[in-house]
Every structure is written in structure tokens, then in C-alpha cells.
Amino acid sequence: MDNRINEIRRQVRALRVSMMEAEAIMRGQINRGEDCAFVAGDMIKMRTVMSRLVEERAVLGDREPILVSGGFISRRPKAERPIALPPFKRRLMPVAVRAR
């Protein structure tokens, strides 16, 4: 039974990572005005599989949280930071320099 619980936990972790990647792809398609129906359909399938795995896991008595580390994908694009440049010194040069 412990082997089955470990296998379910591994599958849930993998599904979560796949769902986050699919969500990022779908958001990119939406931002570009493209059709995202295919990716959305895959997300629905992944959610269906996830719910079945969670039900099976609950029947086996596993109630521990499943953590996925390092998989955070920001929904907002990173803001452009202005580059700090040193002040520019302007030197005025005479139009014509006389030769001595």
C-alpha cells in the first residue's frame, strides 16, 4: 500500500508541474491573441486525472500535503528596471579653434 501511495504522490507532483507549464503556455497564447483551446483541453484532462488520484489517495488514508518546490511560474511579466547611468558631462567646444 505504501508503494501505491508513493506512486500517486509522484504522479501528482508531475501533474502539478505539467499543469503549471501548460498554464504559462496558455497565458502566453492569450496575451498574443491566439487560440488556446487545445492547451485548455489538456488542462481539463490533467485536472480530471488529478481528481481521481486525489480520491484514490484519500481512500488509502494519505492526508499529508504534497509539496512541489521550485515550480512557481509568475503570472506577471517582470517589470523593466531602468538602468542607472552616471551623469553625462557636456563640454562646450568652440566652433573653430585658431591655430597658434
Side-chain angles (χ1 to χ4, degrees):
M1 183 172 359
D2 286 333
N3 288 337
R4 180 64 186 146
I5 291 174
N6 289 335
E7 183 180 335
I8 290 173
R9 292 172 72 85
R10 183 185 53 77
Q11 289 175 348
V12 167
R13 278 189 209 100
L15 268 173
R16 281 186 178 171
V17 170
S18 297
M19 289 172 75
M20 285 189 284
E21 290 171 352
E23 182 180 354
I25 291 169
M26 189 167 61
R27 286 187 182 280
Q29 289 175 337
I30 290 170
N31 289 338
R32 291 187 303 269
E34 297 174 359
D35 182 29
C36 61
F38 181 75
V39 178
D42 283 348
M43 288 277 293
I44 291 172
K45 290 175 189 175
M46 286 188 263
R47 287 175 190 251
T48 304
V49 171
M50 176 79 77
S51 66
R52 289 182 187 149
L53 288 171
V54 169
E55 287 175 5
E56 184 178 351
R57 184 176 148 241
V59 168
L60 293 174
D62 185 28
R63 306 241 189 271
E64 295 292 321
I66 301 173
L67 304 176
V68 177
S69 62
F72 179 74
I73 300 173
S74 177
R75 292 183 179 183
R76 296 182 182 173
K78 292 184 179 181
E80 294 287 328
R81 292 186 179 183
I83 299 172
L85 297 175
F88 182 71
K89 294 183 182 179
R90 294 184 182 200
R91 296 183 184 162
L92 296 176
M93 300 292 286
V95 176
V97 179
R98 292 185 203 179
R100 291 186 182 191

